[in-house]
Amino acid sequence: MAFAKRMLGSLRGRKTQLALAVRLAVAAVAAYAIARALHLMLPLWAVLTSLIVTQMSVGRSLKATRDYMVGTVGGALYGGAITMLIPHSGEGGLLALLVLAVAPMAFIGAINPSLSAATVTAVIVLLVPAMNHANPLDSTIDRLCEVTVGALTGLVVSFLVLPSRAVSQIRINAAQLLELLAAAFAELLAGLTRGLDNDALHRIQHGIGTAMASLHATGLEAERERATHLSSGPDTGPLLRTVQRLRHDVVMIGRASVVPLPANVQARLARPLSDVSSAIVDYMRAAAVSLRSGSGTVDIQPVDAALQAYAAEVAALRSEGLIRGVPVDVAERFFALGFSLEQMRQNLNDLDRCHAEWCEAPATTAAGAKG
């Protein structure tokens, strides 16, 4: 009983993946049934194509269908043309033709990976007639029909069966990235008291780059859906750019953490930095929770207050001359930290406006209140 409950809880947290599995199963069965009903020579290719084009979101399915269809049509036409136009006989002639089929298509696929299906299609169109003693023209037509059935089936299933929109996935991906940034930020500020080596910096920021790439890919899918009027929602650009800038801020703070602050400076900044860390981490984590659910408000005022208190303490340190006697590299990192935190303040205010737009809530920044 306990095992069943754990499994059920795990499945609830994997709704997107479970929906994809259902779509893939429906697409495969439907493609096979349609291919058999149309008496296509190799229903296998219809099934495989339906699996290839059925993706995590509708936007990704659109791109996969377009790329696969363009590559398949190009490869089928090329493979059929050289098979019919270039006379060949025996194994030697077939091998020479195989080289002629693969090399140009592979070169094009290397230049444009979205056309990688062209190489496989050209080989199939070339070899299937040789194995089945079929007509090359019939093989080309069959291949195009099989792929068209699979592609259209996969696309229709993506639209109709538990459809997943990239816009909703952006919320999830952005929330995950904000949580990673919050955890990294907390560790990096704590490192100002002991210094961090490159291995520690890489460990702290592990996974952020991959999550950032995933967010940008999802953003492209969402814009593709918006362009084809398949979904609506806020423009993805401002949110993606703001999160990207926050990542740059974390990188800059990491570089400033390589050398620890002098003991007397640490003592003065310990409380302000702790307050800054708590306020920013709490805000980013709360924004992540709100983005994931698509509703709610988050108060950014504690972040502004903590950063203002830190700036005031830094000004007091400078007026007392405590920074003048420190080594040059330490002073550079001290001022770089201040600049990075100021940039982070601006970017978090931008995030607050983006959050309000995506969660349909009023912004809590001064600029948002005036607007």
Side-chain angles (χ1 to χ4, degrees), residues 2-302:
F3 175 75
K5 285 182 179 178
R6 284 198 302 272
M7 287 296 293
L8 234 102
S10 177
L11 286 176
R12 284 197 194 98
R14 300 283 184 178
K15 290 181 180 178
T16 304
Q17 291 82 357
L18 189 59
L20 175 61
V22 172
R23 287 197 301 274
L24 286 169
V26 172
V29 172
Y32 181 77
I34 294 171
R36 293 288 292 177
L38 295 176
H39 304 290
L40 297 180
M41 185 171 65
L42 290 174
L44 169 66
W45 296 114
V47 174
L48 292 178
T49 302
S50 70
L51 296 178
I52 290 170
V53 304
T54 304
Q55 298 287 321
M56 191 71 79
S57 70
V58 172
R60 196 178 298 182
S61 293
L62 282 170
K63 183 179 186 303
T65 301
R66 183 198 66 190
D67 292 348
Y68 198 75
M69 285 300 297
V70 171
T72 297
V73 170
L77 293 177
Y78 177 74
I82 63 172
T83 303
M84 290 182 285
L85 297 178
I86 301 177
H88 62 281
S89 60
E91 290 295 324
L94 185 60
L95 287 174
L97 210 58
L98 185 60
V99 172
L100 187 59
V102 170
M105 293 295 98
F107 179 69
I108 292 173
I111 294 174
N112 188 350
S114 64
L115 300 178
S116 57
T119 307
V120 177
T121 304
V123 170
I124 292 170
V125 169
L126 172 64
L127 294 183
V128 167
M131 292 185 293
N132 296 341
H133 305 290
N135 185 290
L137 180 60
D138 291 340
S139 176
T140 302
I141 294 172
D142 284 337
R143 173 62 178 162
L144 290 175
C145 291
E146 291 153 7
V147 170
T148 301
V149 166
L152 292 179
T153 302
L155 202 55
V156 170
V157 167
S158 296
F159 288 145
L160 301 181
V161 180
L162 303 177
S164 176
R165 298 290 190 260
V167 168
S168 62
Q169 289 183 26
I170 281 182
R171 300 180 192 274
I172 297 171
N173 290 0
Q176 178 189 10
L177 191 48
L178 285 176
E179 288 167 346
L180 289 173
L181 289 172
F185 179 76
E187 279 202 71
L188 291 173
L189 279 194
L192 288 169
T193 60
R194 60 182 185 275
L196 296 169
D197 57 25
N198 286 329
D199 289 340
L201 290 176
H202 290 152
R203 177 187 58 79
I204 291 171
Q205 299 190 28
H206 177 71
I208 294 178
T210 302
M212 195 75 239
S214 176
L215 179 62
H216 277 289
T218 308
L220 292 175
E221 294 162 17
E223 288 306 311
R224 195 175 296 114
E225 290 176 6
R226 280 161 49 87
T228 52
H229 306 289
L230 294 173
S231 66
S232 59
D235 181 9
T236 61
L239 177 62
L240 267 60
R241 288 192 295 270
T242 300
V243 175
Q244 178 73 63
R245 289 197 297 268
L246 284 170
R247 186 207 174 188
H248 291 160
D249 294 336
V250 169
V251 171
M252 292 299 295
I253 290 169
R255 291 173 182 170
S257 305
V258 174
V259 178
L261 296 173
N264 59 341
V265 176
Q266 284 183 31
R268 292 284 296 273
L269 292 182
R271 180 61 183 271
L273 276 175
S274 176
D275 292 342
V276 166
S277 178
S278 297
I280 290 180
V281 168
D282 289 347
Y283 174 80
M284 287 202 287
R285 286 176 175 164
V289 171
S290 182
L291 272 174
R292 193 174 273 114
S293 66
S295 62
T297 59
V298 184
D299 187 9
I300 200 173
Q301 299 303 329

